[in-house]
Amino acid sequence: ATWMEASTMFGAGQIVAEKSLELCVFVVRILQILWRSAYSDGVPPDEMGLIGFLRQSMVYFPFGDGYEGHAEVEEALLSLNIKIYELIALVQLGASKHNVTSPVLETEMSKWTKRAIKAMVQTLGISIKGQPKIGSGTQAQQVAVSMHFRHEHFVVLLPVVWQMMCGTDKKDAELLLAAVIHYTNDCPLASASKALCTQFLTKVIETQWSRSPVSLKMPDFLTQEAKGLLAKWAAGLPKLLWQLRSQNIDTSMAVSEALRLIHQRTQLLDSTARAGLQAGLATLFCVNVPERGIVYGPFKQYPPDIQRTVLEIVSYSTVPSKTLLQAIQVCFAENPPADQIRVFAEEILGW
């Protein structure tokens, strides 16, 4: 860290694609692995080795802020910043579990967390003006996600988002959640990150609004506003499942499993929202379009495991609507499913 602080490589206009940058990323990677291995559930505030490293690193954090130029440099800076996000998240998570006896250190850690969250949400496509909180004068706007931010970066970043959400205050957790939802909505249908986002948001829903204890159950760290964000996202899942068809089976499976969980074990949606989901589910089977007649949905294109999951979702509805049940019957009459799916539908729907 002393070498990083003394170096001019992070000064304005000094960043170039050279071995020193590559070495810097490599060194931080080693430190990240060491501290993650030693303190996977949070670094205690008295771990002065990491605290000292972060104090020196924050001089230039986020590294290369606003840099545009050489692709190799942009990727290296992105990788470096994500590693620092995780180290800050580990410190913040540790502080939430231990008493911070130094007011100065507590103030420092709070500032580091705010800066990290602001940089993280910008990485996911949201720029924050002012303090990184939703409401109370904060202005958020959409920005372009770096063209060098790929799925492998997102795979590394998402666990850090989770750690930060568990260790920070509710409003900052809400902002991180909003950034993930924004990113997943912008992901192309065929993107592998679409499935990963869906699984992450499903995990958040399960830990926060499960009707019964689960192994992932966490303390309530989200606001009612965050619940509204997730409810709005969930309301769009039937449409997403319809759009996906057979383009991205992994995402289709993740979406159908999310809907099953929401219906079966959570308190996320009220009765009105659940009724809206039923209307969306009906389109997966068929819908009567004026002047066109019956238009069949993508249900017949799904593999058997997704077909079973969709039918389970219907069965978990408190009272399946007449429209939804009729849509299933018309779909099955025109496009008979495999015998195992037909028998399964008869069993769970009581036909």
Side-chain angles (χ1 to χ4, degrees):
T2 302
W3 163 67
M4 288 172 60
E5 187 177 36
S7 173
T8 61
M9 64 178 290
F10 293 115
Q14 299 296 317
I15 304 176
V16 294
E18 58 180 22
K19 292 296 182 181
S20 57
L21 178 58
E22 183 180 332
L23 178 60
C24 183
V25 175
F26 182 69
V27 169
V28 175
R29 172 61 175 159
I30 293 175
L31 295 174
Q32 176 200 31
I33 292 173
L34 290 174
W35 273 309
R36 180 200 293 163
S37 301
Y39 303 108
S40 60
D41 60 344
V43 178
D46 57 358
E47 175 49 77
M48 298 311 297
L50 178 54
I51 298 300
F53 173 77
L54 287 176
R55 279 177 177 152
Q56 293 173 301
S57 298
M58 295 305 286
V59 173
Y60 295 110
F61 180 83
F63 297 101
D65 189 22
Y67 174 88
E68 292 183 4
H70 199 287
E72 185 179 344
V73 173
E74 287 194 40
E75 289 201 34
L77 292 171
L78 178 61
S79 177
L80 184 59
N81 282 321
I82 291 175
K83 291 172 175 57
I84 297 297
Y85 298 160
E86 179 176 354
L87 293 178
I88 295 173
L90 285 172
V91 170
Q92 178 62 31
L93 190 59
S96 70
K97 298 178 179 180
H98 304 84
N99 291 326
V100 181
T101 56
S102 168
V104 174
L105 178 57
E106 186 174 12
T107 300
E108 277 186 309
M109 292 170 59
S110 177
K111 290 180 178 179
W112 297 345
T113 301
K114 298 295 184 185
R115 289 172 63 185
I117 290 173
K118 186 174 182 179
M120 288 167 70
V121 298
Q122 183 157 335
T123 300
L124 295 172
I126 295 181
S127 177
I128 299 299
K129 304 298 182 182
Q131 291 299 317
K133 290 186 178 182
I134 292 177
S136 64
T138 299
Q139 296 179 353
Q141 62 183 22
Q142 297 182 14
V143 293
V145 175
S146 170
M147 62 183 295
H148 303 294
F149 185 71
R150 300 189 301 273
H151 176 67
E152 50 264 41
H153 296 125
F154 189 60
V155 169
V156 176
L157 179 61
L158 208 51
V160 180
V161 172
W162 176 255
Q163 287 178 321
M164 195 71 82
M165 288 174 66
C166 292
T168 191
D169 62 52
K170 290 186 177 183
K171 276 295 183 182
D172 285 342
E174 179 185 331
L175 177 57
L176 288 165
L177 178 67
V180 174
I181 292 175
H182 167 76
Y183 183 74
T184 188
N185 288 339
D186 276 4
C187 282
L189 291 177
S191 168
S193 295
K194 197 84 167 180
L196 190 59
C197 281
T198 302
Q199 291 164 349
F200 175 82
L201 295 172
T202 303
K203 174 183 176 181
V204 173
I205 292 170
E206 183 177 16
T207 61
Q208 295 298 293
W209 293 288
S210 178
R211 291 196 188 101
S212 56
V214 294
S215 59
L216 292 172
K217 188 68 176 175
M218 299 285 290
D220 178 16
F221 59 77
L222 288 177
T223 62
Q224 286 301 306
E225 289 78 6
K227 182 177 182 180
L229 290 173
L230 282 167
K232 182 178 179 181
W233 171 77
L237 291 180
K239 180 180 179 180
L240 175 59
L241 195 55
W242 186 93
Q243 292 173 327
L244 285 164
R245 295 182 176 268
S246 57
Q247 294 182 47
N248 187 337
I249 296 301
D250 287 342
T251 302
S252 294
M253 192 71 234
V255 171
S256 61
E257 288 177 344
L259 283 167
R260 178 174 60 186
L261 172 82
I262 290 168
H263 277 76
Q264 181 186 16
R265 295 210 310 270
T266 74
Q267 300 171 323
L268 177 66
L269 303 179
D270 58 24
S271 58
T272 302
R274 286 175 176 271
L277 280 185
Q278 288 196 36
L281 289 171
T283 65
L284 301 178
F285 299 94
C286 68
V287 61
N288 192 350
V289 179
E291 300 182 359
R292 290 185 58 187
I294 301 296
V295 176
Y296 292 94
F299 180 83
K300 63 180 180 180
Q301 301 175 19
Y302 298 142
D305 53 349
I306 296 181
Q307 289 182 335
R308 287 177 64 94
T309 303
V310 171
L311 290 171
E312 286 179 345
I313 296 167
V314 176
S315 71
Y316 289 133
S317 301
T318 307
V319 180
S321 69
K322 182 179 179 180
T323 301
L324 176 55
L325 294 177
Q326 287 179 341
I328 297 173
Q329 292 172 331
V330 172
C331 177
F332 281 18
E334 180 66 23
N335 305 287
D339 288 345
Q340 59 178 351
I341 298 299
R342 178 183 55 77
V343 171
F344 181 70
E346 290 174 351
E347 290 176 351
I348 65 173
L349 298 178
W351 289 352

